[in-house]
Amino acid sequence: MAENKKKLTDEIMIGPRKAQNRFFIQAMETNMEDPSGNPSERTTQRYIDLAEGGAGMITLEAITVTRECRARDNQLTIMPQNQAALTKFMDRVHNANPSAIVVFQLTHSGELSSPEFSRRVTPNPLPGYGGDLLSEEDVEHIMDDFVTAAKIAYNAGADGIDLKLCHGYFGSQMIRPYNNRDWKFGGSWENRTRFPYELMERIRKEVPDKNFLIGSKISAWEGFPGGFGTDGPDSPVMDLTEPIKLIKGLEERGASYIVQSAGSPGITISLTQCDKHVPYFAYLHQYWSKEFRKVLKPETVVIGSNFSVFRSGKNDLCAVEPEKSGLLPYGEWCVNHDVCDMIALGRQSLADPFLPKKVMEGRENEINFCLLCDACLELLIQQSKVGCCVHDPLAREELVRTRKEKGRLKQSHT
Ligand SMILES: Cc1cc2nc3c(=O)[nH]c(=O)nc-3n(C[C@H](O)[C@H](O)[C@H](O)COP(=O)(O)O)c2cc1C
């Protein structure tokens, strides 16, 4: 096997900003904010840990642009009333490590909003979901909310935003072929991309600072009929034509990074986060990120997903060289083989927020690797506070309480 030249510990430019290494922390919802959606002390501590943990770039968990429609009862929120709290929060996170790049993942939950405590709305109801059908005027308001949120993020000291176009949330609902309603925002490719494209253009115009990064996390294939990355409103068959067009369109409008993902967890959860039963689905992610890498400009950073399953090398994946099958050597192999420029850590970042620092300091043997128990996911699905139930005693207590009160979740991956 050829020697790797690039290291995960190498710096990398993301637009005009320099990331200290090629580790990227995924957005991971924790559902533990105060009743106004301001960061709680526990949330703040999580991001301070991540900043001290040394990752080059950190994404804040999905932060909703409106309380009216949201997926989590205690979801982090970005509305004018949250400005002061978010500013204080960012001051503390940046003080912990001024060189960590921190971006906010802006979201609206659309048809994944929980009707138990918010309003479910939809561009075109999917079987099993539904919700109030959105008008063109409603979408214009939602776009205004996103632009306001981007300005709040900028004023709060965030280094950029991630426009969430993945995992079945509102952005995905707008761009997927299933949105084939005859309206300004549906049917043709031009209409379906009006939401992300106009939004990117407006955000660039209203936050003209080039240091403020804009990027997006995309589900390359949602994996159900009419989902994004399929070849028609009633076809489940994968076709990357639209995902490729989308990322190039975002790049033209100023995106300096793209986070590759897949699936829509409400429907195809094992595609979004490969579990211990299907760890080899991770290789699909590396195929998608490589396809993304091929078509974007070299300076646009492609971030690959689903590295948690590789663990320390103790995984059920067949390997030609078992000692190179762990997250670190395999991640390094990926950045050397045009699969991606950075590797993203999701569940692994809950298990050990300090992984990047440990690698930078040559203390790999001290890393707590994710066990893929997926109890973090169980907590999220049950609307409980999220954390690593193996390494965080508070999260463990929360799991015990949740199972006592709500029963154990019957999921193949938990
Ligand atoms: C508890 C939990 C919370 C998550 N929250 C988000 C989120 O806020 N935004 C998002 O784009 N993805 C979210 N995801 C998906 C992860 O960011 C990531 O794409 C997925 O877990 C695969 O990466 P991994 O294998 O490193 O865990 C979440 C996943 C889990 C398990």
Side-chain angles (χ1 to χ4, degrees):
M1 194 183 277
E3 272 305 295
N4 290 341
K5 293 196 180 72
K6 296 176 199 156
K7 301 277 172 222
L8 292 174
T9 49
D10 288 346
E11 294 173 343
I12 181 168
M13 293 305 293
I14 306 172
R17 289 186 180 269
K18 190 188 281 173
Q20 297 302 300
N21 51 54
R22 290 166 183 265
F23 292 106
F24 172 93
I25 303 298
Q26 291 274 28
M28 297 294 284
E29 278 183 280
T30 55
N31 189 36
M32 53 187 165
E33 316 323 329
D34 76 9
S36 320
N38 289 328
S40 63
E41 190 52 36
R42 234 174 113 188
T43 309
T44 309
Q45 193 54 50
R46 166 164 159 71
Y47 290 96
I48 288 175
D49 286 351
L50 286 168
E52 287 175 350
M57 185 165 173
I58 298 167
T59 316
L60 195 67
E61 62 200 89
I63 182 166
T64 179
V65 301
T66 172
R67 299 273 308 157
E68 191 194 2
C69 308
R70 64 192 200 279
R72 314 290 161 213
D73 200 5
N74 301 308
Q75 188 158 356
L76 204 57
T77 305
I78 183 156
M79 296 173 74
Q81 61 269 29
N82 306 107
Q83 173 81 68
L86 288 169
T87 307
K88 262 194 217 152
F89 164 81
M90 277 312 298
D91 280 352
R92 290 179 65 191
V93 175
H94 273 325
N95 279 344
N97 177 3
S99 52
I101 299 173
V102 181
V103 297
F104 285 13
Q105 184 182 61
L106 305 185
T107 195
H108 182 293
S109 296
E111 70 189 346
L112 297 188
S113 304
S114 172
E116 281 173 30
F117 46 77
S118 75
R119 183 170 161 239
R120 180 167 275 187
V121 295
T122 177
N124 194 24
L126 261 185
Y129 287 89
D132 302 340
L133 199 62
L134 286 163
S135 67
E136 292 175 357
E137 205 187 3
D138 292 331
V139 177
E140 305 283 0
H141 284 310
I142 292 174
M143 290 174 78
D144 291 344
D145 288 342
F146 270 90
V147 175
T148 303
K151 289 199 268 188
I152 296 170
Y154 179 68
N155 291 328
D159 301 308
I161 56 121
D162 163 357
L163 175 59
K164 188 171 188 177
L165 297 178
C166 64
H167 302 175
Y169 290 88
F170 182 71
S172 323
Q173 295 158 27
M174 294 299 277
I175 56 177
R176 62 170 67 127
Y178 187 76
N179 173 17
N180 63 351
R181 245 174 86 194
D182 182 17
W183 64 325
K184 187 177 164 189
F185 295 101
S188 68
W189 176 246
E190 191 193 351
N191 285 349
R192 281 185 283 130
T193 49
R194 199 181 299 285
F195 169 75
Y197 285 177
E198 282 192 12
L199 199 48
M200 279 250 169
E201 286 162 11
R202 279 185 64 189
I203 293 174
R204 244 307 144 245
K205 210 160 126 208
E206 301 211 25
V207 186
D209 185 344
K210 286 271 185 249
N211 283 315
F212 190 69
L213 302 178
I214 298 183
S216 185
K217 184 167 170 181
I218 318 272
S219 279
W221 179 55
E222 289 191 287
F224 59 83
F228 193 58
T230 66
D231 61 1
D234 56 0
S235 166
V237 178
M238 193 201 303
D239 182 339
L240 293 183
T241 311
E242 289 194 346
I244 297 290
K245 268 201 285 185
L246 177 73
I247 56 172
K248 286 165 95 169
L250 295 172
E251 181 184 61
E252 274 165 31
R253 288 165 178 82
S256 47
Y257 72 95
I258 298 289
V259 187
Q260 161 278 322
S261 192
S264 181
I267 304 171
T268 49
I269 195 161
S270 304
L271 270 183
T272 302
Q273 41 262 319
C274 311
D275 57 60
K276 58 185 171 224
H277 306 292
V278 286
Y280 35 84
F281 277 16
Y283 294 140
L284 284 171
H285 285 260
Q286 279 95 64
Y287 163 71
W288 289 313
S289 60
K290 188 164 183 171
E291 290 302 302
F292 283 11
R293 184 52 288 159
K294 274 185 203 161
V295 298
L296 293 174
K297 294 179 189 152
E299 62 270 26
T300 305
V301 173
V302 173
I303 301 160
S305 283
N306 273 264
F307 285 93
S308 294
V309 290
F310 296 98
R311 308 188 59 235
S312 61
K314 282 189 192 149
N315 53 48
D316 288 332
L317 292 153
C318 172
V320 177
E321 294 173 279
E323 68 285 1
K324 293 190 181 165
S325 72
L327 185 160
L328 297 172
Y330 178 61
E332 196 156 282
W333 184 90
C334 286
V335 300
N336 278 284
H337 289 79
D338 299 323
V339 172
C340 53
D341 304 298
M342 294 180 86
I343 66 162
L345 307 175
R347 289 162 290 181
Q348 178 56 50
S349 74
L350 294 175
D352 193 342
F354 300 98
L355 178 146
K357 185 174 161 68
K358 289 177 182 174
V359 177
M360 302 286 278
E361 293 173 359
R363 296 187 289 122
E364 286 90 344
N365 57 343
E366 293 176 26
I367 295 171
N368 296 322
F369 282 100
C370 171
L371 298 186
L372 296 183
C373 66
D374 274 340
C376 55
L377 198 54
E378 181 174 349
L379 289 172
L380 185 68
I381 294 169
Q382 297 284 39
Q383 296 284 344
S384 297
K385 296 185 175 76
V386 173
C388 176
C389 299
V390 176
H391 298 290
D392 174 356
L394 288 176
R396 222 165 22 242
E397 275 170 32
E398 184 82 353
L399 184 67
V400 171
R401 191 189 57 75
T402 301
R403 285 183 175 170
K404 216 162 140 191
E405 286 173 9
K406 302 181 184 168
R408 203 189 164 111
L409 204 64
K410 297 213 175 11
Q411 289 269 343
S412 63
H413 53 270
T414 53

